[in-house]
Amino acid sequence: MKGSRIELGDVTPHNIKQLKRLNQVIFPVSYNDKFYKDVLEVGELGIGTKMLNHVLNICEKDGTFDNIYLHVQISNESAIDFYRKFGFEIIETKKNYYKRIEPADAHVLQKNLKVPSGQNADVQKTDN
């Protein structure tokens, strides 16, 4: 049997419903229609970085958040690497966190937003 060829192209109004269906089948969360509208406007490439930067900027401006936490499936190495570049660290693993996907375990990642006393803010920032 000959191998299959897979091509990934741009998300367009003509194929956005396919992306929506793929997300419904693959991911344990549901995205609303605004998400898909934004994908068409912004473009899919880099959307995760833009969304995370948006959240981090809101937290920084607010100034009352000490930490941000999130869950990542333990087998999702690319997501773990992505979040580590933003300063997140694995602090815990939760068994059977997901109900509809395997593996069901999730890492809990944390990003500390407060600079420890006695440290300069510039020392805390890293470019990973």
Side-chain angles (χ1 to χ4, degrees):
M1 182 175 173
K2 190 175 178 182
S4 299
R5 182 175 171 194
I6 298 173
E7 280 188 41
L8 299 176
D10 293 334
V11 177
T12 68
H14 301 289
N15 64 17
I16 192 76
K17 287 182 181 178
Q18 291 173 328
L19 174 64
K20 188 173 185 177
R21 181 66 186 136
L22 283 170
N23 284 350
Q24 289 171 339
V25 171
I26 296 171
F27 297 117
V29 296
S30 297
Y31 296 98
N32 61 26
D33 290 337
K34 184 180 180 333
F35 170 82
Y36 295 100
K37 181 181 176 202
D38 290 346
V39 167
L40 287 173
E41 290 176 7
V42 177
E44 192 172 16
L45 188 61
I47 195 168
T49 298
K50 289 177 183 176
M51 291 186 334
L52 184 55
N53 278 328
H54 180 74
V55 169
L56 293 174
N57 288 336
I58 288 171
C59 292
E60 184 180 324
K61 286 178 185 174
D62 183 281
T64 61
F65 294 93
D66 292 337
N67 299 286
I68 297 176
Y69 298 91
L70 55 89
H71 296 85
V72 175
Q73 189 178 21
I74 60 169
S75 62
N76 194 343
E77 292 294 328
S78 60
I80 294 166
D81 292 342
F82 171 80
Y83 289 116
R84 281 187 168 147
K85 289 178 185 174
F86 286 88
F88 285 84
E89 298 176 359
I90 296 172
I91 60 166
E92 181 183 357
T93 300
K94 295 197 177 240
K95 298 288 184 191
N96 300 313
Y97 179 79
Y98 297 107
K99 304 298 179 215
R100 298 186 311 143
I101 58 175
E102 289 294 329
D105 300 345
H107 289 308
V108 178
L109 280 72
Q110 172 188 10
K111 178 176 175 65
N112 185 344
L113 300 175
K114 297 291 183 187
V115 177
S117 59
Q119 283 191 0
N120 184 326
D122 292 332
V123 174
Q124 184 72 13
K125 295 179 183 177
T126 60
D127 291 328
N128 292 336

